Amino acid sequence: MDLLLLEKTLIALFLAVVVAIVIAKLKGKKFKLPPGPIPVPVFGNWLQVGDDLNHRNLTDLAKKFGDIFLLRMGQRNLVVVSSPELAKEVLHTQGVEFGSRTRNVVFDIFTGKGQDMVFTVYGEHWRKMRRIMTVPFFTNKVVQQYRFGWEAEAGSVVDDVKKNPESATNGIVLRKRLQLMMYNNMYRIMFDRRFDSEDDPLFVKLKALNGERSRLAQSFEYNYGDFIPVLRPFLRGYLKICKEVKQKRLQLFKDYFVDERKKLSSTKSTDNEGLKCAIDHILEAQQKGEINEDNVLYIVENINVAAIETTLWSIEWGIAELVNHPEIQNKLRTELDTVLGPGVQVTEPDMHKLPYLNAVIKETLRLRMAIPLLVPHMNLNQAKLAGYDIPAESKILVNAWWLANDPAHWKKPEEFRPERFFEEESKVEANGNDFRFLPFGVGRRACPGIILALPILAITIGRLVQNFELLPPPGQSKLDTAEKGGQFSLHILKHSTIVLKPRSV
């Protein structure tokens, strides 16, 4: 009986494959699809291109198939665009058509199937979430209100490094201390809270859960089950871990931060507006019935991932490049000393008069883009792009890293050279005013965190260069800047040990 059942199952599977091939051929006559490698039944191009769809591998495919190409990854269509003109079409001209977000089996878990802002589809829920998040997080008023805190946190990093005798001799993994700084920067805004040290038990727990969430979401390990649903049962163990991590994180956010803030707010005078932090505004929206409690927690989840880690990666990349280019580090230090005066610590209002510091930050974001493929886009309905038909619900990747590293548009792009932003690229900014340089995206789904990230980067990198000579550890001439790419992230593979010699000014 079992053999008969197996035989019937195999025949049914065979017939399903044949039907799928026939339908695909019939559709192929109707649609003009972008070029790409020839797919095979069921697997599409997955067996040809593999799981690791990072920015460099997709660049290699673009050189072969063109500025727009299509990969069929099992049942998913993946369209990759690799030119400024097509990026403008996707992100700006047809921003509504391509304004949704594709999700996958893992992101569905971590975002409650799009109950957040970053991964929800384009529509009323996204507009509501964006509006609710803008006032408490993404305005100039917020920058001016919290920049004193960011400056204090950067000052604390400098003080702690000076107190550590290892930092000036064998060196330290500076990232660990910078991670605490970034959590404090964002938790001040969110909850009016900070952690006193790297050993704070709550910080240790929070950091571990966020790190595990990031690892699970950014891994390529689960792609096979996402691309080919029939293989999804093999992902049961992986998805079970994802659900456990998601549950623990949301419970921690609720118990230790959201509920604590609710209690604190209930004991305060309601007319004391000066004490409001971001979560107070978000909880007000919940009380008005605009969002539910889950939405509140998913906003906190987005900030923990999107704001903290990405900015930390960029700081880490910037420091590594300055260590490896001492002449650039010295030039930056000279600007800071000359413009501000020796020993006068850089603050947020100084940014506009420090062009070389701004150029260093832009060059870091160009060469070492934290989100090199941006967050994937999706068209809910069939669309047209560059004369090709794009099937509904295709995943659209903009290879922003290649736009900023294509030698057709940039002179010697492989070099870390901030001076380029005074030469041929003098008018290029990080805000998306030029489609060759989109570190934060552009258009409706651009990253609103640019307004926080740029001053935090400037204050942190500026203070470190002002107070220390940044050097590789003894016996090394350079730091290892090998990359580690994820589903759409890019960070340094090995967290660097750095020697920080205090300057006498």
Side-chain angles (χ1 to χ4, degrees), residues 355-380:
Y356 199 70
L357 174 59
N358 287 310
V360 166
I361 290 165
K362 285 196 282 189
E363 183 68 342
T364 300
L365 296 172
R366 183 197 67 81
L367 184 63
R368 308 293 191 177
M369 207 171 286
I371 311 292
L373 302 172
L374 306 183
V375 180
H377 285 244
M378 180 181 74
N379 53 312
L380 282 172

Side-chain angles (χ1 to χ4, degrees), residues 101-356:
R101 292 288 194 220
T102 181
R103 302 196 306 262
N104 61 39
V105 287
V106 169
F107 280 95
D108 266 357
I109 291 170
F110 287 123
T111 67
K113 294 188 176 177
Q115 292 189 63
D116 65 331
M117 184 191 82
V118 175
F119 287 96
T120 193
V121 297
Y122 181 77
E124 191 52 43
H125 177 71
W126 171 78
R127 279 188 283 272
K128 182 170 58 180
M129 293 288 273
R130 175 96 171 197
R131 176 176 51 77
I132 289 166
M133 287 181 74
T134 295
V135 171
F137 284 113
F138 308 125
T139 64
N140 279 315
K141 183 180 176 183
V142 173
V143 172
Q144 294 313 311
Q145 184 179 346
Y146 286 99
R147 62 103 169 168
F148 300 102
W150 304 339
E151 289 156 12
E153 293 296 342
S156 293
V157 172
V158 169
D159 292 341
D160 286 351
V161 170
K162 285 181 177 176
K163 289 174 195 168
N164 185 345
E166 281 290 297
S167 61
T169 52
N170 296 322
I172 58 169
V173 179
L174 184 60
R175 181 191 198 274
K176 292 178 183 175
R177 183 59 186 81
L178 292 172
Q179 189 173 33
L180 175 64
M181 179 199 78
M182 276 308 305
Y183 271 84
N184 283 343
N185 283 343
M186 295 314 301
Y187 271 64
R188 278 174 182 259
I189 299 174
M190 271 198 293
F191 301 111
D192 194 27
R193 291 270 297 270
R194 70 183 298 278
F195 305 98
D196 288 330
S197 76
E198 294 172 52
D199 302 320
D200 183 310
L202 184 55
F203 173 65
V204 171
K205 190 174 181 182
L206 179 64
K207 185 176 68 168
L209 282 170
N210 280 340
E212 185 65 357
R213 185 266 192 220
S214 189
R215 184 190 71 79
L216 290 164
Q218 289 295 334
S219 172
F220 294 109
E221 288 176 36
Y222 62 83
N223 275 352
Y224 71 90
D226 191 52
F227 297 155
I228 304 168
V230 76
L231 299 178
R232 210 158 283 173
F234 295 105
L235 276 182
R236 270 196 203 115
Y238 196 95
L239 299 182
K240 183 172 179 282
I241 295 169
C242 291
K243 286 171 186 171
E244 288 168 357
V245 169
K246 174 253 187 86
Q247 188 55 42
K248 286 178 185 174
R249 285 178 76 239
L250 294 190
Q251 199 64 49
L252 185 144
F253 296 152
K254 183 178 186 302
D255 293 346
Y256 289 93
F257 297 101
V258 177
D259 286 355
E260 283 296 310
R261 189 66 194 178
K262 281 181 184 174
K263 286 179 200 167
L264 196 61
S265 298
S266 66
T267 63
K268 285 181 183 173
S269 168
T270 52
D271 60 357
N272 195 344
E273 293 291 315
L275 294 174
K276 270 191 178 182
C277 58
I279 200 68
D280 297 331
H281 291 276
I282 293 160
L283 289 171
E284 278 180 11
Q286 184 194 346
Q287 286 162 8
K288 291 174 186 172
E290 295 178 63
I291 54 175
N292 60 35
E293 186 178 30
D294 284 345
N295 297 144
V296 172
L297 294 174
Y298 286 118
I299 287 173
V300 177
E301 122 77 37
N302 278 177
I303 295 295
N304 269 267
V305 175
I308 294 174
E309 284 300 318
T310 51
T311 309
L312 181 60
W313 295 339
S314 295
I315 294 170
E316 194 173 14
W317 278 122
I319 291 167
E321 292 294 352
L322 289 172
V323 170
N324 287 351
H325 297 86
E327 72 288 353
I328 293 173
Q329 186 184 151
N330 289 333
K331 193 170 178 180
L332 174 56
R333 189 175 292 117
T334 299
E335 178 186 74
L336 291 161
D337 287 351
T338 304
V339 174
L340 304 179
V344 179
Q345 300 298 291
V346 63
T347 62
E348 187 273 334
D350 299 321
M351 282 177 64
H352 73 279
K353 55 188 178 185
L354 296 166
Y356 199 70

Side-chain angles (χ1 to χ4, degrees), residues 43-58:
F43 298 103
N45 302 122
W46 175 45
L47 300 178
Q48 296 151 283
V49 300
D51 283 328
D52 193 351
L53 300 174
N54 69 54
H55 57 292
R56 290 188 185 273
N57 290 343
L58 292 177

